[in-house]
Amino acid sequence: MAETTDNGLDSELKATIQTAYRRVLDSLELTPRYGQRLMIAEIARTLGGIESDDAGRRLSNEHVCVLEAGTGTGKTLAYLLAALPIAQARGKRLVISTATVALQEQVLHHDLPALKAHSGLDFEFALAKGRGRYLCVARLDQALEGGEDNPTLSLFEEAMSSGDGDDFQALAQEMADAYSAGRWEGDRDSWPTGIDDADWRRLTIDHRQCTNRRCGHFGACAFFRARRGLDQADVIVANHDLVLADLSLGGGLVLPSPKDCIYVFDEGHHLPDKALDHFYHRLPVNGTLRWLRTLKKSLTELNTALGVQPTLARLLATLPEAIAALEPRLGEAFAMGHRLAEREEGLPDDATDAVHHRFPMGRVPEALSEQAQSMVTAFAELSRTLESMADILRESLDPEKATGLPREQAESWLPLVALLHGRALEAHALWQAMATPDPAEGIPQARWLTFERIAGDAELTFSASPVSAAETLARHLWGTCHGAVVTSATLTALNRFERLQERAGLANRYRYQRLPSPFDYSRAVLSVPPEAVDPSNREAHERALIDFTKALDEREAVLMLFSSRKQLRAVLEALPETVRERVVAQNHLPKHELLQRHRARVDAGEGSIIFGLASFAEGIDLPGEYLTHVVITRLPFSVPDDPVGATLAEWIESRGGNPFMRISVPDASIRLVQACGRLIRKEADQGRITLLDRRVLTRRYGRALLDSLPPFRREIDGQAQ
């Protein structure tokens, strides 16, 4: 038996990790970094200390570590080197989850191949994607035949989408040729050109519609081919959305079961918001009425195709009454929503923006709650009917089951019935969220109405969402996984982990560590100049931004971050032509083209100024001479005016708290660190960060925000500090 070290890691595993690290450093001629070594040790200590029973089930509850590791730490190499040998030794799968495609591609195409080539570790890795990213060969086959196997399905897809692409048949033939010749693996992301959403919907399916091994095309299935690759992989690269979607379905449908996984969540600060997106319910009333009416029109075809099977005939006979019960209730809900929001006339015909009506503290009026409860019952009955029909259709695909329905009929109609079942379940979940009161002492759900015009037609959407993902993540992720690492350059707010713990449901007993940066931040100056004014004086602030931009050095490479598109446009339009010609604005160009133009100007020895919004404060990598000056026009406070944020703020206030200090200031701290982080991307980088918001000096929260930033040299009102 291997000797165990003080940190719970056996000596053999420790030696494996240390040897692999030395080999990578030597082979790639890398310099060891203190923060990187510390990160390897922290991960090894946490994961190596997990206690398990003889069946490999986790027994201990200190199995998660949360590590803030700034740019330049080399965190990807650190977590791969530390976690992979432990996962292999424990018989677990290592799942690397990112928030962005860029990082996912870097891990998949650069970091993992380099580790495999130079570490001496023997492992396989694969990319995981959801079923909806893959072609369904059965549907492609139908499309090539003109889709006549089930024209009713096309009617539903047209009713639920904006239409089909003009060249769909040609696209389907091109895809079939490429897939059969092995030039394409059948996933949307690797197709050489963009695919229209409506076209892709005709070529893919969800988990309810898929017949799995019963499908006649199972052997050629793109999704299951990829799944077989996952079964052989020690390391699976995924994204937060896929991990959360798999968990929301119970786990183990696309990825391995959480109890068999060690997760690494890179860019982990995105996880709480991503989780909220997966537990948000919505129902567009007119969109729902459209598919119900299409179902009613299709009952003759459904009875002709499926009525030969007695149970299906009986179930189909219940649908007219179910639809008849729902249509007037949805109409009443539509009218009631307009009355409650005092919008009996709806939106003007020329309205372009959606309008929300939020229910305070998420409490819906009693009349709407009663209406929602009646809808819960009606959609539950419809869901059960459609589920029973889908079950019979699936059984009919099994040659050992004699249901009385030909396999060809079942295979043709299952996608439609499963689609309808999914729609009914979504509607049921929304109305249940509307009808079910929140616990007296618990955090409320946000509930609201959205009024908009879609293609000129009025639409009212009912929505409900948790305001915090903490409980969900604590139960379904941290509570079920074997082990986890959460890392990012920005996990703390105001130098503390409390805000992340509160949002992500991370327990106090887990390990938390801020790792030292390899960068010398004294190479950069943080300036709050005399020109900085309080943005509450909008005209003075705008004038200050214009004057400051005009005074920038003609050869500087600048990123200027705005909090509003309106102000960005106003400043741009007020600049003289000689300055404006140096500006590339997010308002006018796609991000990749904008960055390309900026780099080209810098390469040509010219000055360039990027005008960007909040999305440019994160994920923009312009090292060296490509960026020497970051200008932050105002402190990045977000007003919690969206229905979810507003409901959370209201709840905090109702309990005697201060939403601004508890939410807005910590979140602004994270965004400010991210914005400042655009400047120093490499060890030799240097430059200036200018903050043109005087509130950082005059308000009581200003000192805390400044102290949360890296140790830049400071200049306040032109004086070095």
Side-chain angles (χ1 to χ4, degrees), residues 572-585:
L572 183 62
E573 290 168 4
L575 293 173
E577 184 61 32
T578 54
V579 179
R580 198 185 312 156
E581 66 185 12
R582 302 205 314 271
V583 176
V584 284

Side-chain angles (χ1 to χ4, degrees), residues 142-143 145-152 154 412:
Q142 288 177 10
E145 294 175 5
E148 291 305 315
D149 281 357
N150 190 348
T152 313
S154 296
S412 176

Side-chain angles (χ1 to χ4, degrees), residues 56-119:
R57 290 186 293 262
R58 175 174 53 80
L59 300 175
S60 54
N61 285 314
E62 297 176 2
H63 57 297
V64 179
C65 65
V66 183
L67 304 173
E68 184 174 84
T71 305
T73 304
K75 62 178 180 293
T76 309
L77 178 60
Y79 62 62
L80 288 173
L81 275 167
L84 176 56
I86 296 172
Q88 288 181 308
R90 304 287 190 262
K92 305 300 177 185
R93 316 285 286 287
L94 181 61
V95 177
I96 309 298
S97 178
T98 73
T100 61
V101 173
L103 181 55
Q104 187 180 61
E105 290 181 344
Q106 179 191 312
V107 172
L108 188 72
H109 300 303
H110 178 265
D111 298 318
L112 281 167
L115 186 70
K116 186 169 184 176
H118 301 291
S119 66

Side-chain angles (χ1 to χ4, degrees), residues 1 161 380 500:
M1 182 175 176
S161 71
L500 178 69

Side-chain angles (χ1 to χ4, degrees), residues 316-587:
L316 284 166
T318 68
L319 290 179
E321 186 177 342
I323 297 168
L326 280 167
E327 284 182 317
R329 289 174 182 170
L330 285 165
E332 289 165 17
F334 189 85
M336 185 184 295
H338 283 75
R339 288 197 302 274
L340 292 172
E342 297 180 354
R343 288 190 171 274
E344 282 85 348
E345 303 301 318
L347 295 181
D349 291 344
D350 58 352
T352 56
D353 295 328
V355 176
H356 297 307
H357 174 79
R358 182 180 65 84
F359 297 109
M361 290 290 285
R363 295 180 187 136
V364 301
E366 186 176 349
L368 178 56
S369 179
E370 290 174 358
Q371 185 72 10
Q373 189 57 61
S374 74
M375 220 84 78
V376 168
T377 304
F379 273 109
E381 291 174 0
L382 179 60
S383 298
R384 282 194 294 271
T385 298
L386 293 167
E387 183 178 25
S388 298
M389 291 175 64
D391 288 344
I392 294 169
L393 293 174
R394 287 192 185 90
E395 283 188 11
S396 302
L397 297 173
D398 191 335
E400 297 181 5
K401 301 279 181 71
T403 64
L405 186 72
R407 175 191 172 92
E408 295 73 21
Q409 287 287 77
E411 196 164 32
S412 176
W413 287 91
L414 177 61
L416 172 60
V417 175
L419 175 71
L420 295 172
H421 179 220
R423 295 283 169 164
L425 285 175
E426 289 166 10
H428 177 264
L430 177 279
W431 292 118
Q432 193 164 50
M434 280 283 174
T436 307
D438 297 312
E441 295 301 313
I443 302 178
Q445 285 206 65
R447 297 175 177 89
W448 70 98
L449 311 175
T450 302
F451 300 86
E452 57 191 324
R453 287 200 167 272
I454 300 174
D457 296 328
E459 181 60 282
L460 166 59
T461 300
F462 287 79
S463 300
S465 171
V467 299
S468 170
E471 185 181 347
T472 297
L473 289 173
R475 185 189 313 123
H476 296 293
L477 178 54
W478 317 125
T480 59
C481 70
H482 186 78
V485 177
V486 182
T487 188
S488 172
T490 46
L491 291 179
T492 58
L494 303 173
N495 298 313
R496 297 189 297 272
F497 285 100
E498 280 87 343
R499 177 74 176 130
L500 178 69
Q501 288 178 296
E502 179 181 65
R503 297 184 68 221
L506 290 158
N508 286 327
R509 64 178 178 274
Y510 300 153
R511 301 182 69 88
Y512 297 86
Q513 180 79 34
R514 298 182 73 191
L515 302 171
S517 171
F519 295 153
D520 178 6
Y521 286 105
S522 68
R523 296 173 63 86
V525 174
L526 174 66
S527 168
V528 186
E531 298 94 317
V533 299
D534 190 324
S536 60
N537 186 336
R538 188 182 63 80
E539 290 185 8
H541 185 241
E542 204 164 281
R543 173 50 52 191
L545 299 184
I546 295 165
D547 292 343
F548 187 85
T549 308
K550 287 161 59 177
L552 288 168
D553 188 288
E554 291 182 4
R555 300 177 69 84
E556 275 192 282
V558 182
L559 171 62
M560 196 160 182
L561 295 169
F562 290 83
S563 61
S564 84
R565 193 178 299 273
K566 182 178 179 181
Q567 190 176 62
L568 183 155
R569 288 172 178 161
V571 172
L572 183 62
E573 290 168 4
L575 293 173
E577 184 61 32
T578 54
V579 179
R580 198 185 312 156
E581 66 185 12
R582 302 205 314 271
V583 176
V584 284
Q586 186 179 359
N587 188 39

Side-chain angles (χ1 to χ4, degrees), residues 555-560 582-584 589 591-611 616 620-629:
R555 300 177 69 84
E556 275 192 282
V558 182
L559 171 62
M560 196 160 182
R582 302 205 314 271
V583 176
V584 284
L589 296 169
K591 183 183 284 190
H592 67 92
E593 187 177 339
L594 183 152
L595 294 174
Q596 193 174 2
R597 289 195 188 185
H598 173 80
R599 292 189 185 98
R601 287 183 180 179
V602 174
D603 288 339
E606 302 170 359
S608 181
I609 306 167
I610 296 173
F611 274 18
F616 274 65
I620 299 296
D621 195 22
L622 294 168
E625 295 302 312
Y626 290 122
L627 184 59
T628 55
H629 193 172

Side-chain angles (χ1 to χ4, degrees), residues 74-295:
K75 62 178 180 293
T76 309
L77 178 60
Y79 62 62
L80 288 173
L81 275 167
L84 176 56
I86 296 172
Q88 288 181 308
R90 304 287 190 262
K92 305 300 177 185
R93 316 285 286 287
L94 181 61
V95 177
I96 309 298
S97 178
T98 73
T100 61
V101 173
L103 181 55
Q104 187 180 61
E105 290 181 344
Q106 179 191 312
V107 172
L108 188 72
H109 300 303
H110 178 265
D111 298 318
L112 281 167
L115 186 70
K116 186 169 184 176
H118 301 291
S119 66
L121 298 175
D122 182 21
F123 64 94
E124 300 298 327
F125 60 90
L127 173 66
K129 297 181 185 180
R131 194 185 308 258
R133 305 305 295 177
Y134 288 96
L135 170 80
C136 170
V137 180
R139 300 207 67 182
L140 177 64
D141 194 40
Q142 288 177 10
L144 291 173
E145 294 175 5
E148 291 305 315
D149 281 357
N150 190 348
T152 313
L153 179 58
S154 296
L155 287 177
F156 277 89
E157 288 169 337
E158 287 166 14
M160 297 180 209
S161 71
S162 57
D164 300 322
D166 294 334
D167 302 316
F168 177 71
Q169 285 300 124
L171 173 68
Q173 187 61 60
E174 190 181 354
M175 285 181 166
D177 293 343
Y179 189 64
S180 60
R183 299 192 306 272
W184 179 47
E185 294 183 355
D187 63 302
R188 184 176 184 177
D189 305 290
S190 65
W191 187 251
T193 57
I195 304 172
D196 182 80
D197 285 345
D199 287 343
W200 185 251
R201 275 193 291 272
R202 294 183 64 183
L203 295 168
T204 191
I205 54 173
D206 62 24
H207 70 283
R208 292 188 191 91
Q209 296 171 303
C210 181
T211 58
N212 296 335
R213 296 182 182 279
R214 294 166 174 169
C215 176
H217 298 275
F218 179 76
C221 178
F223 173 70
F224 282 102
R225 279 182 179 178
R227 277 290 302 271
R228 287 190 281 274
L230 290 188
D231 292 342
Q232 308 303 316
D234 302 283
V235 183
I236 298 171
V237 181
N239 59 45
H240 299 348
D241 284 317
L242 179 58
V243 172
L244 292 162
D246 200 51
L247 289 174
S248 70
L249 295 170
L253 285 182
V254 177
L255 299 170
S257 172
K259 65 183 175 60
D260 296 321
C261 290
I262 291 175
Y263 296 97
V264 175
F265 292 100
D266 204 341
E267 300 175 312
H269 61 287
H270 287 291
L271 197 58
D273 286 333
K274 294 280 189 183
L276 279 181
D277 290 342
H278 282 273
F279 297 96
Y280 154 57
H281 303 294
R282 61 190 297 277
L283 180 131
V285 175
N286 280 331
T288 303
L289 282 168
R290 273 197 302 276
W291 71 258
L292 284 171
R293 287 166 185 158
T294 307
L295 174 57

